[in-house]
C-alpha cells in the first residue's frame, strides 16, 4: 500500500459491485471542506464563516464521470492529527478507519486554504504520510488572486509527491480537477519521501521550504477585515453596534413580520372558512377545520418571524462576526467559569438547542462541555419565538419605549431573551463552582476574515429552515392536533361528542388543573403545557385546536369564532400571562434536545437532571410571578 | 555590554500594545498547549503583532503567520517575545 503512484487510477477501475469507495475530505477548520462537499454531492451541509462548523462526519454520494458513485465523507476541521477535542478525534479516527460504520478512506481530498498556505501545509506531512492516495486541494483561489498572492501548483505537486489542484469551491472554479482526480484522469506525480515530524517548528520549517520551492507568494493582508475590526472591536462603538443590532432584530420581528403574519393568518382563516362552508357538515369536516387548520394553521402563521430570525443568524455566521462576538463575550464567560468558545454554541442555540449541543464538541475540556450542554436549552430557541410573540401581542399594548426605535413589545421580547441568557449564566456559575469545577481552560480562537454573506447561501438557509418548520408543522404538530381533536370528542354520548370539558382531553386537563392553578393556568393551558413537552410551539397548535372546538360549540359556526389572542385574553390574567412567559423561558420542553443530550453525554444522568432542574425552575418562577401579581405586587 | 540591552527587550505577548510587534522566543506552557498554539502559528522565530482586543483589553487578537488568533492575557503572558527593532 506504500505505492501511492497510480493509486488514484486504481480507484477508478471497475470494482465488483457493492464495494463503494470512500473519499474523505480532510483539512484545517474553515478551509471550505463543507463547501466543496456540498458542491460535489448536492447536499446542504452547514457552511459558515468560523472555525468548527462541522462537528460530526457526514456521508454523501457523489457521481463520477463514468456513472459510478463514491461515498464522500465530510469531516470536522483539524489543525493536526493530534486531537484535543471530540470533533478533531472524529477526523483522526476516520483517517485511521476507526470510525464505526465508515470504512477506511480509499482516497483523501486534503483541503487547504491557499491564502494561508504556509501554516496549512503543515497538515500535509502527516496526512500524506498516512499512505492513502491524496489530492491536495488549494481552496480560496479567488481570494488568493484578489489579494495578489500566487502559487505554482505543479511545482508544489512535485515537492509533495502528490497531485495538487487550485480551486475556488465557493465560486465553483477549477472543481473539475477534483472530479477528474476521483475519476482517475489526473496526473499523479512521483511520490517523495516526506519527513515525519513530531516537532511543530521543524514541520513549519519544512512547509516554508516546500512553499518557497512552489514559489508561494502569500497574499496581502485582508484590508477590509482590519477596517471592519477597528469598528466592531472598538471599545465603545463595538458593544454599541452589538446592542443596536440586537434591538433591530427584535423590532424587525414585530414590525416587518407583523404584516406578513397577518397576511398568512388571513390566508389560513379564509381557507378554513371556505372549507367550512363548502364541505358537507360531517365530523371529518370539523376535524379538518378545527384540528388541522386550527392546530397546524395557527403555528404556520409564525413562519415569517422565524425566517427573519434565521436571516439575522445567517448574516452573523456567514460574515465572520460570530467569532468576534465570542471574543467580546469571553470576559463574561470567564467570570462564570467557561470560555469564549462556549459562547459559539450558545449563540447557535438561539436557533435551536439541538445543533448547539452538537457544536459543544469543539470544547476541549469535558466538564466545560457538559456545563455548556446543560445551559444551552436556556437560550431562547426559535421554537419559543411563536409562543412569546403570541402572548406578548395579546397582553402588551404597543407603545414606544425608545422613540420609534424600540417598541414595548420588542422590549418585552428582548427582556425574555436576556432572562434566558441570565438563567444560563447563573446555572453555569453554579455548576462550574460545584460539581463541574475544573481548571480554567485557555481561550484560543482563530478569527476568520470577514466575507460577504451571499444571497444564494442566505436564501438556501432560509429555504431549508422554512422546509424544516413546515415539515414539523406537518408531522408533529399535525399528529398532536389530530390526536387532541379526537380525544376532545370522546367518549361519545348517544353518538354525540361530549362538551369539551367532559371529553377525555378535558378530563385530563382538569386532572392537572389543581397543580397549575397557583400559576394562574386553567385546564386548557394545562393541556397545552403537556403537549408542548414534545416541542414548545405545539402549545399554539393545541390551543388553536381547543379554541376552535370551543368556538364551534358556542356559536355553532364551523370557523374559529375568536382569534387565538382574544381567546387567551379571556383565559389568562395579565399576571398569569407573564407567568406563562416565564414558564416557557425556563422549562425544558423539547424531546429532541433531551435525546441529543443523552447521546452527547452518554447516558440518562445529565438529561434527567437537566429536565428536573429546568422544570422546577419554570414552575417556581411562574408561581412566584403569578402570586406576586395576585397580591398586587406589580 | 550588549547583555543589558538584550534584557530590556525581553517581554511577553501580554506586554505588547496594540500595533506593536515582536519576535516570538519561547512558549512557557505545558507541552500539549504549546503544541496547539504552535499549530495556530505561534512558532518561535515568527513575528507576532498585537491587534485589536475585546473591550477592556482582554482577550486580544494577535497576528501571526498569516492568521489572526485571539488569546487571553493569562495565556499571552506565557509567550515570551523580543521586541523587533
Ligand atoms: N472566497 C472564498 N470563500 C470560500 C471558498 N470556499 C469556502 N469559502 C467560505 O469559507 C467559509 C468556510 O467554509 P466551510 O465550507 O464551512 O469550511 P469548513 O472547512 O467546512 O469549516 P469547518 O467545518 O469549520 O471545519 C464559508 O464562509 C465559505 O463561504 C472559496 O473558494 N472562496
Ligand atoms: Mg465544515
Amino acid at each position: 500500500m506504500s505505492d501511492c503512484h497510480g493509486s488514484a487510477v486504481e480507484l477508478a477501475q471497475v470494482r465488483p459491485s457493492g464495494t463503494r469507495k470512500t473519499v474523505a475530505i480532510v483539512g484545517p477548520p474553515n478551509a471550505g471542506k463543507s463547501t466543496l462537499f456540498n458542491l460535489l454531492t448536492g447536499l446542504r451541509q452547514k457552511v459558515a464563516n468560523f472555525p468548527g462548523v462541522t462537528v460530526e462526519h457526514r456521508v454523501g454520494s457523489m457521481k463520477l464521470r463514468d456513472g459510478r458513485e463514491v461515498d464522500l465523507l465530510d469531516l470536522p476541521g483539524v489543525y493536526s492529527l493530534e486531537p484535543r477535542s471530540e470533533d478533531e478525534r472524529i477526523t483522526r479516527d476516520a483517517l485511521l478507519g476507526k470510525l464505526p460504520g465508515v470504512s477506511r478512506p480509499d482516497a483523501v481530498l486534503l483541503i487547504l486554504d491557499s491564502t494561508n498556505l504556509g501554516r496549512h501545509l503543515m497538515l500535509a506531512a502527516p496526512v500524506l504520510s498516512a499512505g492513502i492516495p491524496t489530492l491536495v486541494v488549494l481552496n480560496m483561489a479567488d481570494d488568493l488572486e484578489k489579494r495578489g498572492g500566487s502559487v505554482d501548483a505543479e511545482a508544489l505537486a512535485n515537492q509533495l509527491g502528490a497531485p495538487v489542484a487550485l480551486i475556488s469551491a465557493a465560486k465553483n472554479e477549477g472543481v473539475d480537477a477534483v472530479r477528474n482526480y476521483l475519476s482517475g484522469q489526473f496526473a499523479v506525480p512521483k511520490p517523495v519521501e516526506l519527513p515525519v515530524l513530531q516537532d511543530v517548528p521543524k514541520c513549519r520549517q519544512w512547509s516554508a521550504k516546500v512553499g518557497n520551492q512552489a514559489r508561494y507568494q502569500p497574499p496581502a493582508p485582508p484590508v477590509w477585515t482590519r477596517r471592519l475590526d477597528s469598528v466592531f472591536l472598538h471599545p465603545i462603538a463595538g458593544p454599541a453596534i452589538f446592542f443596536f443590532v440586537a434591538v433591530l432584530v427584535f423590532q424587525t420581528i414585530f414590525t416587518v413580520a407583523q404584516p406578513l403574519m397577518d397576511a398568512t393568518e388571513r390566508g389560513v382563516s379564509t381557507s378554513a372558512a371556505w372549507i367550512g362552508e363548502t364541505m358537507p357538515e360531517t365530523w371529518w369536516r370539523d376535524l379538518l377545520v378545527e384540528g388541522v387548520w386550527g392546530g397546524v394553521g395557527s403555528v404556520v402563521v409564525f413562519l415569517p418571524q422565524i425566517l427573519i430570525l434565521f436571516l439575522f443568524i445567517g448574516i452573523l455566521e456567514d460574515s465572520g462576526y460570530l467569532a468576534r462576538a465570542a471574543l467580546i463575550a469571553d470576559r463574561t464567560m470567564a467570570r462564570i467559569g467557561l470560555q469564549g468558545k462556549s459562547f459559539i454554541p450558545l449563540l447557535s442555540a438561539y436557533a435551536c438547542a439541538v445543533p448547539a449541543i452538537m457544536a459543544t464538541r469543539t470544547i476541549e475540556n469535558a466538564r466545560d462541555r457538559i456545563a455548556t450542554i446543560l445551559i444551552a436549552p436556556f437560550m431562547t430557541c426559535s421554537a419559543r419565538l411563536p409562543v412569546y410573540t403570541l402572548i406578548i401581542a395579546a397582553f402588551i399594548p404597543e407603545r414606544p419605549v425608545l422613540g420609534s426605535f424600540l417598541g414595548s413589545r420588542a422590549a418585552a421580547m428582548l427582556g425574555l431573551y436576556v432572562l434566558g441568557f441570565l438563567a444560563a449564566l447563573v446555572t453555569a456559575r453554579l455548576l462550574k463552582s460545584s460539581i463541574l469545577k475544573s481548571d480554567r481552560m485557555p481561550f484560543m480562537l482563530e478569527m476568520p476574515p470577514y466575507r460577504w454573506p451571499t444571497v444564494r447561501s442566505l436564501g438556501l438557509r432560509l429555504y431549508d429552515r422554512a422546509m424544516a418548520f413546515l415539515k414539523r408543522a406537518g408531522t408533529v404538530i399535525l399528529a398532536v392536533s389530530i390526536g387532541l381533536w379526537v380525544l376532545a370528542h370522546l367518549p361519545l354520548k348517544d353518538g354525540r361528542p361530549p362538551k369539551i370539558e367532559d371529553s377525555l382531553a378535558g378530563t385530563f386537563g382538569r386532572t392537572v388543573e389543581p397543580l397549575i392553578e397557583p400559576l394562574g393556568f386553567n385546564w386548557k393551558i394545562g393541556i397545552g403545557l403537556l403537549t408542548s413537552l414534545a416541542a414548545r410551539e405545539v402549545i399554539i397548535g393545541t390551543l388553536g385546536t381547543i379554541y376552535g372546538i370551543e368556538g364551534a360549540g358556542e356559536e355553532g359556526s364551523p370557523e374559529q369564532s375568536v382569534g387565538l389572542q382574544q381567546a387567551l385574553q379571556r383565559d389568562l390574567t395579565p399576571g398569569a400571562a407573564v407567568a406563562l412567559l416565564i414558564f416557557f423561558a425556563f422549562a425544558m420542553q423539547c424531546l429532541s434536545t433531551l435525546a441529543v443530550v443523552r447521546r452527547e453525554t452518554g447516558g440518562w444522568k445529565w438529561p434527567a437532571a437537566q429536565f428536573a432542574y429546568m422544570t422546577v425552575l419554570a414552575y417556581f418562577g411562574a408561581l412566584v410571578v403569578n402570586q406576586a401579581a395576585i397580591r398586587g405586587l406589580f | 555590554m550588549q547583555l543589558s540591552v538584550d534584557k530590556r527587550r525581553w517581554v511577553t505577548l501580554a506586554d505588547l500594545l496594540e500595533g506593536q510587534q515582536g519576535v516570538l522566543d519561547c512558549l512557557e506552557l505545558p507541552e500539549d498547549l504549546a503544541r496547539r498554539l504552535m499549530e495556530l502559528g505561534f512558532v518561535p522565530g515568527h513575528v507576532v503583532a498585537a491587534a485589536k482586543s475585546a473591550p477592556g483589553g482582554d482577550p486580544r487578537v494577535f497576528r501571526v503567520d498569516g492568521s489572526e488568533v485571539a488569546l487571553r492575557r493569562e495565556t499571552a503572558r506565557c509567550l515570551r517575545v523580543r521586541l523587533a527593532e
Side-chain angles (χ1 to χ4, degrees):
Chain A
M1 277 313 292
S2 64
D3 177 25
C4 299
H5 189 74
S7 300
V9 184
E10 197 186 315
L11 182 79
Q13 277 164 8
V14 185
R15 293 260 150 183
S17 57
T19 54
R20 256 176 176 237
K21 296 284 148 185
T22 304
V23 179
I25 304 186
V26 180
N30 214 34
K33 299 178 293 300
S34 302
T35 310
L36 182 67
F37 176 85
N38 288 351
L39 200 61
L40 295 176
T41 60
L43 293 174
R44 302 247 188 83
Q45 269 282 72
K46 179 168 173 181
V47 166
N49 190 18
F50 61 93
V53 179
T54 308
V55 291
E56 56 181 343
H57 69 278
R58 168 97 190 259
V59 182
S61 158
M62 171 193 175
K63 231 187 176 94
L64 296 183
R65 286 267 148 69
D66 49 17
R68 281 169 323 112
E69 295 192 342
V70 291
D71 278 338
L72 217 54
L73 187 59
D74 189 21
L75 292 166
V78 289
Y79 291 106
S80 67
L81 296 187
E82 317 265 322
R84 277 176 66 86
S85 53
E86 201 52 45
D87 55 329
E88 296 177 336
R89 212 157 290 138
I90 290 171
T91 303
R92 201 247 345 241
D93 287 353
L95 264 186
L96 298 177
K98 283 193 198 152
L99 210 59
V102 181
S103 54
R104 185 162 191 268
D106 302 280
V108 168
L109 300 176
L110 175 63
I111 317 294
L112 306 177
D113 179 352
S114 64
T115 65
N116 199 351
L117 205 53
R119 191 158 73 73
H120 278 198
L121 264 178
M122 283 200 284
L123 189 59
V127 170
L128 291 174
S129 323
I132 306 171
T134 299
L135 173 70
V136 179
V137 180
L138 309 182
N139 192 25
M140 318 245 178
D142 55 318
D143 209 10
L144 179 72
E145 196 187 354
K146 202 162 37 191
R147 279 159 48 193
S150 64
V151 61
D152 182 341
E154 205 172 316
L156 185 62
N158 290 328
Q159 284 298 312
L160 294 175
V164 174
L166 186 62
I167 72 159
S168 165
K171 298 255 152 51
N172 195 359
E173 285 164 6
V175 180
D176 269 344
V178 179
R179 295 200 182 89
N180 289 344
Y181 172 77
L182 292 178
S183 307
Q185 301 153 342
F186 200 92
V188 177
K190 220 168 83 225
V192 298
E193 195 68 47
L194 287 175
V196 185
L197 297 168
Q198 282 306 309
D199 184 47
V200 185
K202 286 217 183 81
C203 198
R204 184 64 186 87
Q205 262 168 20
W206 169 80
S207 81
K209 195 194 88 203
V210 170
N212 269 336
Q213 308 269 8
R215 288 185 288 285
Y216 177 56
Q217 282 295 330
V223 193
W224 271 104
T225 294
R226 303 211 167 156
R227 282 187 195 145
L228 288 174
D229 267 345
S230 57
V231 177
F232 290 136
L233 294 180
H234 186 276
I236 297 154
I241 291 174
F242 187 86
F243 178 73
F244 177 81
V245 171
V247 168
L248 188 75
V249 174
F250 294 110
Q251 195 57 36
T252 317
I253 283 177
F254 275 99
T255 52
V256 177
Q258 203 61 51
L260 291 171
M261 278 177 64
D262 292 345
T264 326
E265 197 159 15
R266 262 197 304 281
V268 171
S269 63
T270 319
S271 54
W274 181 80
I275 295 176
E277 278 156 24
T278 44
M279 282 184 27
E281 212 170 300
T282 51
W283 65 267
W284 48 269
R285 183 200 68 174
D286 292 349
L287 170 64
L288 205 62
V289 173
E290 298 159 9
V292 178
W293 252 253
V296 178
S298 44
V299 178
V300 169
V301 168
F302 292 95
L303 183 61
Q305 285 199 319
I306 305 248
L307 291 188
I308 288 182
L309 179 74
F310 275 95
L311 178 67
F312 278 104
I313 295 181
I315 294 175
L316 200 73
E317 291 188 342
D318 284 1
S319 63
Y321 182 71
L322 192 74
R324 275 76 186 179
L327 173 74
I328 294 172
D330 180 66
R331 276 284 281 272
T332 312
M333 301 303 284
R335 223 163 279 147
I336 59 165
L338 292 172
Q339 53 137 312
K341 250 194 184 170
S342 293
F343 193 67
I344 292 178
L346 290 184
L347 271 182
S348 66
Y350 280 129
C352 175
V354 173
I357 286 164
M358 301 284 303
T360 61
R361 289 182 175 189
T362 58
I363 298 169
E364 290 143 20
N365 181 295
R367 294 178 155 220
D368 282 5
R369 183 172 170 219
I370 292 195
T372 312
I373 290 177
L374 293 180
I375 63 174
F378 277 118
M379 308 301 281
T380 306
C381 69
S382 61
R384 285 185 177 104
L385 191 58
V387 184
Y388 286 177
T389 316
L390 177 68
I391 301 175
I392 288 176
F395 288 91
I396 297 182
E398 182 65 10
R399 267 183 285 112
V401 173
L402 285 178
S404 59
F405 176 54
L406 179 66
S408 53
R409 289 179 172 172
M413 183 73 95
L414 195 60
L416 285 164
Y417 273 70
V418 171
L419 181 71
F421 188 55
L422 288 181
L425 292 188
V426 171
T427 305
R429 179 77 236 229
L430 289 176
L431 288 168
K432 287 301 296 176
S433 56
S434 59
I435 44 175
L436 290 175
K437 200 183 255 171
S438 64
D439 290 343
R440 264 157 83 91
M441 288 305 285
F443 168 70
M444 309 173 264
L445 188 67
E446 229 188 314
M447 299 285 128
Y450 288 102
R451 294 187 204 284
W452 273 111
T454 63
V455 175
R456 191 189 128 79
S457 88
L458 290 178
L460 283 179
R461 270 169 186 259
L462 293 195
Y463 174 81
D464 287 346
R465 266 345 285 188
M467 284 304 137
F469 181 78
L470 293 177
K471 193 177 152 217
R472 208 146 115 156
T475 52
V476 181
I477 295 171
L478 180 67
V480 172
S481 299
I482 292 179
L484 181 72
W485 189 89
V486 172
L487 289 181
H489 284 78
L490 293 176
L492 293 179
K493 261 193 286 175
D494 313 326
R496 294 186 54 80
K499 275 179 69 182
I500 184 163
E501 289 89 324
D502 304 322
S503 67
L504 286 180
T507 316
F508 203 59
R510 284 187 302 152
T511 318
V512 295
E513 197 169 30
L515 195 65
I516 54 173
E517 213 178 343
L519 316 189
F521 308 155
N522 62 15
W523 60 271
K524 289 174 238 170
I525 307 287
I527 297 177
L529 290 182
L530 279 172
T531 55
S532 68
L533 281 178
R536 293 181 176 90
E537 69 271 42
V538 173
I539 190 176
I540 294 179
T542 301
L543 290 176
T545 305
I546 295 179
Y547 290 135
I549 299 172
E550 258 192 354
E554 270 168 23
E555 268 128 76
S557 109
E559 62 187 287
Q560 284 168 264
S561 55
V562 279
L564 214 46
Q565 289 188 21
Q566 290 94 306
L568 273 177
Q569 285 164 358
R570 277 196 328 219
D571 262 1
L572 288 171
T573 64
V578 179
L580 191 57
L581 287 173
I582 300 290
F583 190 91
F584 268 85
F586 292 155
M588 163 65 116
Q589 299 149 294
C590 183
L591 289 183
S592 333
T593 304
L594 285 171
V596 77
V597 173
R598 191 202 74 87
R599 200 184 67 193
E600 295 297 302
T601 60
W604 280 112
K605 182 177 88 177
W606 290 114
Q610 185 179 30
F611 182 78
Y613 171 74
M614 292 182 73
T615 310
V616 167
L617 202 62
Y619 186 88
F620 286 99
L623 181 71
V624 167
V625 166
N626 186 50
Q627 293 301 322
I630 289 173
R631 290 173 176 73
L633 290 182
F634 71 87
Chain B
M1 46 185 179
Q2 287 288 67
L3 214 78
S4 60
V5 179
D6 271 343
K7 266 240 170 79
R8 193 166 54 81
R9 300 224 142 259
W10 286 109
V11 289
T12 73
L13 264 194
D15 303 320
L16 294 188
L17 302 172
E18 187 183 324
Q20 270 190 321
Q21 57 180 39
V23 178
L24 190 62
D25 186 63
C26 66
L27 297 84
E28 289 163 341
L29 281 163
E31 163 113 30
D32 64 322
L33 195 55
R35 192 186 161 94
R36 174 47 51 92
L37 280 168
M38 287 194 277
E39 286 165 4
L40 283 165
F42 294 94
V43 176
H46 278 178
V47 176
V48 188
K52 291 276 164 200
S53 70
D58 187 25
R60 184 176 288 284
V61 178
F62 294 97
R63 290 188 193 128
V64 62
D65 203 4
S67 323
E68 307 210 333
V69 183
L71 297 181
R72 278 184 186 163
R73 192 188 299 271
E74 62 194 35
T75 313
R77 216 180 333 231
C78 304
L79 278 73
R80 297 228 284 160
V81 292
R82 232 168 332 144
L83 287 185
E85 289 301 322

